[in-house]
Amino acid sequence: MSEKVSPSVIRRLPRYHRFLKELLQSNIQRISSRELSEKMRLTASQIRQDFNCFGEFGQQGYGYNVELLYTEIGRILGLEDAKTMIQIGVGNLGKAIVSHLDFSSCGFSLIGLFDQDPKLIGRKIAKLTIQDTTTLAAFCRQHHPTAAVLCIPEEAAQQLSKTLVESGVQCFWNFSHYDLALHYDDILVENVHITDSLMTLGYLASNPT
Amino acid sequence: MSEKVSPSVIRRLPRYHRFLKELLQSNIQRISSRELSEKMRLTASQIRQDFNCFGEFGQQGYGYNVELLYTEIGRILGLEDAKTMIQIGVGNLGKAIVSHLDFSSCGFSLIGLFDQDPKLIGRKIAKLTIQDTTTLAAFCRQHHPTAAVLCIPEEAAQQLSKTLVESGVQCFWNFSHYDLALHYDDILVENVHITDSLMTLGYLASNPT
């Protein structure tokens, strides 16, 4: 079924999951597509179409069962299937990510931290000891991580992504400016370009409607 | 003209800007919509439609003039019009943002840093001294910042966004989980939910095509 799901529906799933979690925390057990659409700022028909990609969740005149929908979207997102992940780069951004992010609630289990800075190697964050990037290939051969977070500058990303791809890592969460998808086939890349988001805000601020 | 531009076109502008900058850095002076579409993984007709929202940039049989298009997209994004911005929260994530991000290349000028942690107040980062959040309202009354970055937890965001909105701040770059747009009208909010991005990668890893 997954091959039919469009990228824009996939991108909305985490948002639905967040909103449904908030509803559950407020003890709201069911919600109409109209209410959900107001909260999510999408049309009710878009929401119905999105959920229809995955099966029938709503009931005419009743709306959606929040807990059922929350659980099902979590299952579709693969949140329970803890994929192993390593993180390369534990500078400011990397430290922020590893200390504040709950990887397990996103379907990943963080099993290794790497940096090339001698001042960081050997330090412990989030129960993991930061290892030297020179040991990366050996670690991957032994532990076969599914995914890697890249919190490193462009040149380091270019060099280390080669090592990672050659060692069998197939999924990348990329905070660097290096465009991995241009250089490797058959890998999955999710790029995070936070400056794009700031520029979008700048456009809106410069072009008030 | 800006009111006709759809949100999805606006979201692609920073990407075009990034790609065109790379082309300029590689001394590429013109590019066809086909080449650009391959590089950007969009259809050539989508690219032509996007650029048509802003006027005529291409020439039949010649393609696009890279420098002209780069300059024009920068102008549309308002990059030269340095809007004043303050940042609330200088923890790990906030420190990463203020030390690594070039605000001015995104159309903003960072004029103030705030935190409530006594260990941080008075420290200097990026030529700015971290100020106490209790002085936030007074600072806003004096300097009228256009925008604020929120790198603080949800409760702090709830409390301080009230202060900021009441002090006239109208644009928010929001890294917190607090949903400002639900509580205030007439403000611009750009939310950054990096866990949504990680969940999307998780979906793709769990549902290989």
Side-chain angles (χ1 to χ4, degrees):
Chain A
M1 191 181 284
S2 64
E3 50 221 304
K4 290 183 212 158
V5 182
S6 81
S8 50
V9 178
I10 296 168
R11 297 219 157 263
R12 281 195 288 274
L13 290 179
R15 258 184 87 201
Y16 286 125
H17 196 259
R18 259 192 294 122
F19 276 95
L20 292 163
K21 187 182 181 178
E22 282 168 24
L23 294 176
L24 274 181
Q25 284 167 346
S26 315
N27 281 317
I28 296 171
Q29 279 152 31
R30 60 172 168 153
I31 189 166
S32 67
S33 47
R34 194 183 49 78
E35 287 168 301
L36 197 55
S37 77
E38 280 167 14
K39 216 172 149 50
M40 303 257 325
R41 275 159 249 128
L42 294 166
T43 68
S45 95
Q46 190 166 34
I47 288 180
R48 280 191 295 267
Q49 274 176 30
D50 284 359
F51 293 166
N52 281 344
C53 293
F54 301 104
E56 279 296 329
F57 293 114
Q59 241 179 290
Q60 193 74 35
Y62 173 88
Y64 294 105
N65 177 316
V66 174
E67 188 162 7
L68 219 85
L69 193 55
Y70 174 75
T71 307
E72 187 57 21
I73 290 180
R75 198 197 55 73
I76 293 163
L77 283 168
L79 302 187
E80 279 160 31
D81 141 36
K83 298 159 284 285
T84 50
M85 192 167 219
I86 56 177
Q87 180 173 313
I88 325 296
V90 199
N92 283 322
L93 178 65
K95 210 187 288 166
I97 288 172
V98 75
S99 7
H100 295 293
L101 214 76
D102 182 4
F103 284 82
S104 69
S105 75
C106 295
F108 288 95
S109 159
L110 195 65
I111 61 165
L113 288 176
F114 294 85
D115 205 290
Q116 59 181 10
D117 182 349
K119 286 198 292 287
L120 292 174
I121 295 163
R123 282 209 199 172
K124 223 167 173 171
I125 303 185
K127 293 185 189 158
L128 291 168
T129 303
I130 302 173
Q131 302 174 66
D132 190 333
T133 47
T134 56
T135 65
L136 198 49
F139 182 93
C140 292
R141 274 194 303 271
Q142 198 182 343
H143 299 282
H144 308 286
T146 302
V149 196
L150 304 184
C151 299
I152 44 182
E154 187 164 353
E155 298 97 89
Q158 178 169 2
Q159 182 206 326
L160 293 176
S161 62
K162 190 169 183 289
T163 306
L164 290 163
V165 172
E166 286 172 358
S167 309
V169 177
Q170 288 176 316
C171 303
F172 291 86
W173 197 28
N174 181 30
F175 287 80
S176 82
H177 284 158
Y178 181 62
D179 191 345
L180 279 94
L182 268 188
H183 297 89
Y184 301 100
D185 297 323
D186 303 320
I187 59 168
L188 293 170
V189 186
E190 172 72 16
N191 294 303
V192 185
H193 289 292
I194 60 169
T195 53
D196 284 13
S197 163
L198 183 57
M199 280 192 189
T200 303
L201 181 67
Y203 171 87
L204 297 170
S206 293
N207 297 273
T209 46
Chain B
M1 190 182 282
S2 64
E3 49 220 304
K4 291 183 210 158
V5 182
S6 80
S8 50
V9 177
I10 296 168
R11 298 221 156 261
R12 281 196 289 274
L13 290 180
R15 260 184 86 201
Y16 286 125
H17 196 259
R18 259 192 294 120
F19 276 97
L20 291 164
K21 187 182 181 180
E22 282 168 24
L23 293 177
L24 274 182
Q25 284 167 345
S26 315
N27 281 316
I28 296 170
Q29 279 152 31
R30 60 171 167 153
I31 189 165
S32 67
S33 47
R34 193 183 50 77
E35 287 168 301
L36 196 56
S37 76
E38 280 168 12
K39 215 171 150 50
M40 302 256 327
R41 276 158 249 127
L42 295 167
T43 68
S45 95
Q46 189 166 35
I47 287 179
R48 280 191 296 267
Q49 273 176 30
D50 283 359
F51 293 166
N52 281 344
C53 293
F54 301 104
E56 277 297 330
F57 294 114
Q59 241 179 289
Q60 193 72 35
Y62 173 88
Y64 294 104
N65 177 315
V66 174
E67 188 162 8
L68 219 85
L69 193 55
Y70 174 75
T71 308
E72 187 57 20
I73 290 179
R75 198 196 57 73
I76 293 162
L77 284 167
L79 301 188
E80 279 159 32
D81 143 36
K83 297 158 286 285
T84 49
M85 191 167 219
I86 56 177
Q87 180 172 315
I88 325 297
V90 199
N92 283 321
L93 178 65
K95 210 187 289 166
I97 288 172
V98 74
S99 7
H100 294 295
L101 214 74
D102 181 3
F103 284 82
S104 68
S105 76
C106 295
F108 288 94
S109 160
L110 194 65
I111 61 165
L113 289 177
F114 294 84
D115 205 289
Q116 59 181 10
D117 183 348
K119 287 199 292 286
L120 292 174
I121 295 164
R123 282 209 199 172
K124 222 167 173 171
I125 303 184
K127 294 187 189 154
L128 292 169
T129 303
I130 302 173
Q131 301 174 67
D132 191 333
T133 48
T134 56
T135 66
L136 198 49
F139 181 93
C140 292
R141 275 194 303 273
Q142 196 182 345
H143 298 283
H144 307 286
T146 302
V149 196
L150 304 184
C151 299
I152 44 183
E154 188 164 352
E155 298 97 272
Q158 179 169 2
Q159 182 206 327
L160 294 176
S161 61
K162 192 169 181 290
T163 306
L164 290 164
V165 171
E166 286 172 359
S167 310
V169 177
Q170 289 177 315
C171 303
F172 292 87
W173 197 29
N174 181 29
F175 286 80
S176 82
H177 283 160
Y178 181 63
D179 191 345
L180 280 94
L182 269 189
H183 297 89
Y184 301 100
D185 296 323
D186 303 321
I187 59 167
L188 293 170
V189 186
E190 172 72 17
N191 294 304
V192 185
H193 290 292
I194 60 169
T195 52
D196 284 13
S197 162
L198 183 56
M199 279 193 190
T200 303
L201 181 67
Y203 172 87
L204 297 170
S206 292
N207 297 274
T209 46

